[in-house]
Structures are given as structure tokens and as C-alpha cells.
């Protein structure tokens, strides 16, 4: 199965955010290259909010280009077998933490935002770090830091706050 086909199936199964979900599906229906950075009209990206084992903190990266505290994430690559695999790869690469596991239930939320390269149609997952995990700053980051849940709003934008809220709701189920 192609990454494009996987994305369509994941999005069709995703419950919630119906209008935005349809924007993503329409984009993929009209753009066979809609998974890739080369698609100038926008592209699907994958991200993962990394949660610590005690589930009281999240790991955010100070993105080098955007200079904002964000969850780990970015462009899909040809070697990604699925959106979930892309999110896990991005989470691992940008956090430096091996052994991340995605929370069950598929994506936590969707977020469409304009970046310097194009519109990103981000499919957002949440990942649990293993006990004793040590983070390591990647080349794409100026800093990497654990933030208690109640501090995220003071350092990150609304999209990160909404992702944290959705992640916490998923953890509670």
C-alpha cells in the first residue's frame, strides 16, 4: 500500500474535525503528490507529541527555522510505510529518544497551518517515551525541553496547546 493510500484510509477512519478532515481528503484526491514536500499547493505532514512515562510532561523542540516551541514532526519521506511510521520516525529523529510508542487509536488531531514552504496538513499523533529516556537535540532544533502540562500554554502556540489537550483526553480513556 502506498503512503498516499494509507493516509486516505487513516483520514477516513479518523473521527472528529469533519470539515478539516474533508479538506485533507479533498487535497489528496486532487493531488497525487499531496504527501510530498514538492507539492507546492500543500502537503500532508506527520507529527508526534512526546509524553514522558509519568504522563506529566511533554517534550517540545525549539524549531530552528520557525523559532517556536513545537511537537516533533515534519515531512513524510519515501521510506515511510504509513503516516504512523512517519510520525514515529519524526518523533524519534527530533527527540533523540529510541523506543517511542504511539498511543493507540490513530491520530490525536489534525492541524492545517501555513509554513515557509507551503500549507502543512499535519496529522498529529502522541507518543510515549520509555522509562529513563534521554533526549538529544537534532540539527533541526535550537533546544529541546520537557515542559509540565501547565507550562505549555506559556511557551507554545494554540495548535500545540490543542494537541496537548487532545492527547490528555486520549490518555484518560
Amino acid at each position: 500500500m502506498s503512503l498516499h493510500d494509507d493516509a486516505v484510509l487513516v483520514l477516513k477512519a479518523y473521527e472528529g474535525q469533519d470539515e478539516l478532515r474533508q479538506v485533507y481528503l479533498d487535497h489528496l484526491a486532487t493531488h497525487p503528490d499531496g504527501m510530498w514536500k514538492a507539492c507546492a499547493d500543500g502537503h500532508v505532514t506527520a507529527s508526534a507529541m512526546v509524553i514522558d512515562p509519568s504522563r506529566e510532561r511533554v517534550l517540545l523542540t525549539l524549531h530552528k527555522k520557525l523559532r517556536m516551541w513545537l511537537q516533533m514532526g515534519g515531512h513524510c519521506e519515501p521510506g515511510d510505510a504509513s503516516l504512523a511510521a512517519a510520525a514515529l520516525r519524526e518523533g524519534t529523529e527530533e527527540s533523540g529518544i529510541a523506543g517511542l510508542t504511539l498511543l493507540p487509536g490513530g491520530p490525536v488531531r489534525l492541524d492545517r497551518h501555513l509554513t515557509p514552504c507551503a500549507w502543512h496538513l499535519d496529522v498529529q499523533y502522541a507518543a510515549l517515551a520509555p522509562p529513563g529516556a534521554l533526549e538529544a537535540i537534532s540539527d533541526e532544533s535550537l533546544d529541546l525541553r520537557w515542559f509540565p502540562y501547565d507550562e505549555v500554554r506559556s511557551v507554545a502556540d494554540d495548535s500545540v496547546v490543542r494537541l496537548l489537550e487532545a492527547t490528555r483526553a486520549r490518555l484518560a480513556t
Side-chain angles (χ1 to χ4, degrees):
M1 176 184 312
S2 73
L3 185 57
H4 186 282
D5 292 343
D6 174 75
V8 169
L9 289 176
V10 167
L11 290 164
K12 283 183 176 179
Y14 178 74
E15 295 180 3
Q17 297 180 270
D18 294 340
E19 190 174 315
L20 185 58
R21 180 175 65 96
Q22 193 58 52
V23 168
Y24 283 41
L25 288 167
D26 291 347
H27 175 78
L28 290 173
T30 58
H31 295 88
D33 63 344
M35 296 300 300
W36 312 118
K37 185 177 181 179
C39 183
D41 288 337
H43 36 270
V44 174
T45 58
S47 66
M49 176 160 275
V50 176
I51 306 293
D52 81 341
S54 67
R55 299 183 176 160
E56 296 173 0
R57 302 179 303 163
V58 297
L59 186 64
L60 299 178
T61 179
L62 183 56
H63 194 278
K64 189 178 278 187
K65 290 181 183 174
L66 301 177
R67 300 196 179 270
M68 297 170 62
W69 288 103
L70 301 169
Q71 74 276 10
M72 315 304 146
H75 297 106
C76 296
E77 296 180 0
D80 294 329
S82 65
L83 272 178
L88 199 54
R89 176 188 50 75
E90 285 287 340
T92 301
E93 287 176 359
E94 293 185 10
S95 71
I97 298 173
L100 294 176
T101 55
L102 295 181
L103 293 183
V108 175
R109 70 181 315 276
L110 307 175
D111 188 80
R112 181 177 181 258
H113 49 271
L114 188 59
T115 71
C117 76
W119 281 100
H120 279 188
L121 287 71
D122 197 28
V123 180
Q124 302 176 324
Y125 291 80
L128 195 62
L134 297 175
E135 68 277 7
I137 296 175
S138 76
D139 292 342
E140 298 178 37
S141 181
L142 294 172
D143 197 3
L144 195 62
R145 192 177 310 162
W146 290 102
F147 289 95
Y149 291 159
D150 60 0
E151 289 182 20
V152 171
R153 186 175 298 282
S154 66
V155 298
D157 70 7
D158 287 343
S159 70
V160 177
V161 172
R162 287 189 298 268
L163 176 56
L164 174 59
E165 289 169 351
T167 298
R168 291 181 74 185
R170 175 76 57 88
L171 288 168
T173 59

